[in-house]
């Protein structure tokens, strides 16, 4: 069974998603928290909640249309035949050219590699469909004929029936309820269950203990392979066993062992007492190892698994159980970068409404390849419409704060995020023009609605000619901070004094004058003495060229007897906040620069 398309209407944050296409392999649903990823996956479940789409204009239930989910589901002819055997008598619409030979028509259908059915799901109802539910012909023929198919001792009796009955949606409903498995980040309490002989996992994994017991006793090799996979995902898990509880002999209990040796029961622990992800992974492995051609839905896989465990599980799924179809929601760069997805859909939310957009896999493939090389966080730029790439994590933290304090909230869809290594843009080992193109494509691949991308780098020791050449190679995308680096705007004696006292209460007697003198003394000596120094801490020419980050660090160490180190990434924000709160005019050039970056990105 495969999910080919889904369209969600009037459900939770979705008014109408339009057709969402799915493919073989792994289908990723990505987006920020609360965008609507989980709602999308919830809409695929057999039990559709009557949770209607509401807006401030229309919120009363009686005024709202009921949720509907339209699905295109395909089965092989072989699967269809098997599900009809389990369903009972059905009526299958026959294409007009075959009215006279429905037996031959159905024989051909059962030989088909794929038959696709279009069905509709509403709250509290099974599948319904327009006539015919399959795609073998369209509309009502003048003389409708269906094949009345009746199971009989493992065979199917096919006879013509002259009306327009179509009960195939009932077959698809049975298949969907049995071959769709869903796993969420919520703790699964499936470590105990009634004693039974079960070979097929229930979609909610409620019979996991009995299935594992059957596997361990009747399919030992498969069970041992399952445990081996579990060790790959969780190195802290050594073994798994199933026993009847002594106090409740009608109950199976799954127990997990920290070592491969299973010496004493007391050294194991019940699955229901284990970590959140262990039960999910055991149930997931059981499903994919014992069911053929299932649809596996996993909501926020990164929420219940460590990044290394996510990669291990994805590796197992892709290398050994690729015959299933997977629909996985995530906002994790590890999942996006490691899953080799067949499709990626981006879910965005604006106010009360979520929308879904299919991303171009050619661009995303390039995006993933280069992001892995450069170390860029893919999760940072998904769902962005405008990207401002900045020097590093300090600017990534401080620039949004500067904009918020001086202008207001960042425009919706605009993010400020750091590049992996600015040296890539001015390196003899790489073509800088290519690197700019890479980052531009990263931005565009992450969200096809990207309007623009700009870059902001520190001036450092670059000559004006070098900066001009880099700007040329970037095709005008690159901007340089007017001063050497961010800390050049934060050589502020009151702020530095406040920082030292905050970190070291023993320095409470430190005066602003003492800090000014320490800054002046340091500026007059190597390695900080530069040609632009003329004894004035507020000289613009000097502030543009001084190594301010190291100067501030040296002064903090000297004044605190090295009890207060200054760490650029961690402590620049303290100085920035202090100056903005106490002498904002001093930072107007910096605020104007940050505002100009955002304006360039939004124009």
């Amino acid at each position: 069974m495969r999910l080919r398309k889904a369209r969600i209407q009037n459900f939770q944050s979705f008014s109408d998603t339009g057709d969402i296409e799915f493919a073989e392999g792994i289908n990723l649903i990505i987006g920020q928290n609360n965008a609507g990823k989980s709602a999308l996956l919830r809409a695929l479940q057999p039990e559709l909640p009557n949770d209607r789409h509401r807006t401030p204009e229309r919120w009363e239930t009686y005024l709202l249309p009921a949720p509907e989910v339209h699905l295109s589901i395909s089965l092989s002819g072989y699967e269809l035949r098997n599900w009809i055997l389990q369903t009972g008598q059905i009526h299958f619409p026959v294409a007009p050219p075959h009215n006279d030979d429905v037996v031959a028509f159905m024989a051909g259908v059962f030989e088909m590699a794929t038959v696709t059915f279009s069905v509709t799901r509403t709250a509290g109802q099974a599948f319904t469909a327009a006539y015919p539910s399959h795609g073998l012909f369209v509309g009502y023929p003048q003389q409708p004929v269906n094949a009345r198919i009746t199971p009989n001792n493992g065979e199917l009796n096919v006879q013509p029936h002259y009306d327009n009955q179509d009960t195939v949606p009932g077959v698809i409903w049975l298949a969907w309820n049995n071959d769709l498995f869903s796993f969420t980040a919520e703790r699964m309490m499936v470590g105990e269950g009634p004693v039974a002989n079960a070979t097929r996992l229930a979609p909610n994994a409620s019979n996991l203990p009995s299935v594992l017991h059957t596997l361990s006793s009747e399919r030992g090799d498969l069970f041992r392979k399952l445990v081996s996979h579990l060790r790959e995902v969780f190195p802290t898990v050594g073994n798994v066993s199933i026993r009847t509880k002594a106090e409740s002999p009608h109950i199976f209990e799954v127990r997990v062992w920290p070592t491969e040796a299973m010496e004493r029961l007391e050294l194991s622990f019940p699955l229901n007492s284990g970590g959140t992800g262990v039960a999910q992974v055991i149930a997931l492995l059981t499903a994919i190892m014992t069911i053929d051609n299932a649809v596996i839905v996993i909501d926020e896989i990164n929420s219940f698994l460590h990044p290394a465990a996510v990669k291990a599980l994805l590796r197992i799924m892709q290398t050994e159980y690729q015959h299933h179809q997977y629909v996985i929601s995530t906002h994790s760069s590890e999942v996006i970068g490691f899953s080799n997805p067949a499709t990626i859909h981006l879910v965005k939310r604006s106010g009360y409404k979520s929308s879904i957009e299919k991303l171009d896999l050619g661009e995303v493939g390039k995006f993933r390849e280069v992001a892995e090389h450069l170390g860029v966080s893919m999760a940072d730029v998904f769902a962005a419409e405008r990207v401002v790439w900045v020097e590093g994590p300090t600017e990534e933290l401080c620039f949004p704060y500067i904009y918020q304090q001086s202008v207001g909230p960042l425009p919706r869809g605009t993010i400020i995020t750091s590049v992996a290594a600015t040296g890539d843009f001015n390196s003899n080992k790489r073509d800088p023009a290519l690197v700019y193109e890479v980052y531009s494509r990263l931005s565009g691949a992450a969200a096809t609605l990207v309007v623009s991308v700009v870059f902001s780098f520190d001036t450092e020791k670059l000559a004006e000619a070098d900066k001009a050449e880099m700007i040329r190679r970037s095709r005008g995308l690159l901007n340089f901070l007017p001063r050497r680096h961010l800390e050049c705007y934060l050589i502020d004696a009151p702020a530095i004094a406040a920082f030292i006292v905050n970190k070291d209460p023993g320095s409470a007697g430190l005066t602003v004058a003492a800090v000014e003198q320490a800054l002046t003394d340091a500026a007059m000596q190597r390695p900080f003495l530069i040609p632009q120094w003329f004894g004035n801490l507020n000289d613009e020419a000097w502030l543009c060229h001084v190594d301010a980050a190291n100067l501030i660090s040296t002064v903090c160490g000297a004044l605190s007897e090295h009890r207060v180190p200054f760490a650029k990434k961690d402590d620049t924000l303290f100085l920035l906040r202090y100056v903005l709160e106490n002498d904002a005019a001093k930072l107007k050039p910096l605020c104007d620069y940050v505002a100009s970056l955002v304006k360039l990105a939004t124009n």
Side-chain angles (χ1 to χ4, degrees), residues 32 348 367 376-392 395-401 403 409-419 439 442-444 446-447 450-456 594 597-602:
Q32 297 176 337
K348 290 186 177 184
F367 176 46
V376 178
S377 174
M378 295 183 293
D380 288 344
V381 293
F382 274 109
E385 297 179 12
R386 294 164 292 270
V387 182
V388 179
W389 293 98
V390 295
E391 176 81 13
E395 289 75 14
E396 182 178 355
L397 179 67
C398 293
F399 277 21
Y401 176 75
Y403 189 89
L410 281 171
R412 182 179 293 275
T414 301
I415 67 164
I416 298 176
T417 189
S418 62
V419 300
Y439 273 86
L442 297 185
S443 307
V450 163
V451 175
S452 61
V453 52
V454 298
F455 299 85
S456 171
V594 173
L597 292 175
V598 175
K599 185 176 180 179
L600 286 171
T602 53

Side-chain angles (χ1 to χ4, degrees), residues 187-500:
R187 178 181 291 274
M188 297 181 71
M189 302 300 290
V190 292
E192 296 185 5
V195 170
N197 184 280
T199 59
R200 182 185 179 91
L201 188 70
N204 62 0
S206 59
N207 64 342
L208 178 65
S210 57
V211 174
L212 290 175
H213 183 269
T214 301
L215 290 178
S216 65
S217 58
E218 298 180 7
R219 303 180 67 185
D221 288 346
L222 187 65
F223 180 78
R224 284 186 286 274
K225 188 174 183 181
L226 187 154
V227 174
S228 176
H229 286 327
L230 191 63
R231 294 188 191 115
E232 292 180 61
V233 180
F234 300 110
T236 56
V237 172
N239 223 323
V240 175
S241 64
I242 306 91
R243 66 153 190 162
T244 54
K245 296 186 71 172
E247 61 275 26
S248 303
H250 61 287
I251 297 294
F252 276 142
E253 178 188 48
V254 180
R255 298 190 70 87
V256 178
W257 301 74
T259 61
E260 290 189 42
M262 298 185 289
E263 297 177 348
R264 299 185 61 85
L265 180 68
E266 293 80 4
L267 298 177
S268 65
F269 57 88
L271 177 59
N272 282 349
S273 300
T276 302
V278 178
Q280 276 94 333
V281 172
I282 293 178
L284 174 60
L285 290 172
T286 302
I288 66 177
M289 294 178 70
T290 59
I291 309 295
D292 293 329
N293 299 318
V295 177
I296 310 294
V297 176
I298 309 174
D299 190 13
E300 296 290 5
I301 187 172
N302 48 288
S303 295
F304 59 86
L305 288 179
H306 182 275
V310 170
K311 289 185 177 180
L313 181 58
L314 288 171
R315 181 171 58 249
I316 292 168
M317 288 160 48
Q318 292 179 85
T319 57
E320 299 201 44
Y321 307 101
Q322 66 272 28
H323 53 280
H324 297 298
Q325 183 184 38
Y326 300 93
V327 181
I328 302 174
S329 74
T330 186
H331 57 262
S332 164
S333 58
E334 288 83 6
V335 179
I336 299 167
F338 199 74
S339 60
N340 191 28
T343 68
I344 300 182
H345 288 88
L346 174 66
V347 182
K348 290 186 177 184
R349 182 165 183 160
S350 177
Y352 295 88
K353 185 177 180 180
S354 294
S355 60
I356 299 175
E357 179 184 1
K358 185 177 181 180
L359 300 186
D360 185 286
L361 272 178
E363 289 296 313
V364 173
K366 180 66 174 178
F367 176 46
R368 181 174 58 250
E369 174 188 341
V370 180
E372 288 173 353
H373 176 67
L374 296 179
V376 178
S377 174
M378 295 183 293
D380 288 344
V381 293
F382 274 109
E385 297 179 12
R386 294 164 292 270
V387 182
V388 179
W389 293 98
V390 295
E391 176 81 13
T394 303
E395 289 75 14
E396 182 178 355
L397 179 67
C398 293
F399 277 21
Y401 176 75
I402 292 168
Y403 189 89
Q404 183 179 13
Q405 295 300 309
S406 60
V407 180
L410 281 171
R412 182 179 293 275
T414 301
I415 67 164
I416 298 176
T417 189
S418 62
V419 300
T422 53
D424 288 328
F425 295 82
N426 189 26
S427 170
N428 293 326
K429 297 179 181 179
R430 297 191 183 94
D431 180 358
L434 174 61
V435 180
Y436 287 113
E437 177 66 18
V438 162
Y439 273 86
S440 298
R441 291 188 58 161
L442 297 185
S443 307
T448 56
L449 294 180
V450 163
V451 175
S452 61
V453 52
V454 298
F455 299 85
S456 171
F457 292 163
D458 292 348
T459 294
E460 289 297 346
K461 294 183 178 180
L462 290 171
E464 291 300 318
D466 293 330
K467 291 195 292 183
E469 177 62 12
M470 291 179 68
I471 292 172
R472 184 189 67 79
R473 291 184 177 184
S474 75
R475 301 192 304 277
L477 296 176
L478 177 57
N479 299 267
F480 282 97
L481 191 70
R483 297 182 185 178
R484 180 171 177 170
H485 46 233
L486 180 59
E487 288 72 22
C488 292
Y489 294 90
L490 302 175
I491 298 180
D492 182 86
I496 295 171
F499 168 72
I500 295 173

Side-chain angles (χ1 to χ4, degrees), residues 43 173 181 383 528:
W173 174 251
F181 294 85
F528 303 111

Side-chain angles (χ1 to χ4, degrees), residues 20 59 105 137 162 218 226 271 481 499 521 571:
I20 310 166
W59 52 269
F105 174 77
F137 66 92
Y162 297 94
E218 298 180 7
L226 187 154
L271 177 59
L481 191 70
F499 168 72
D521 291 343
D571 301 326

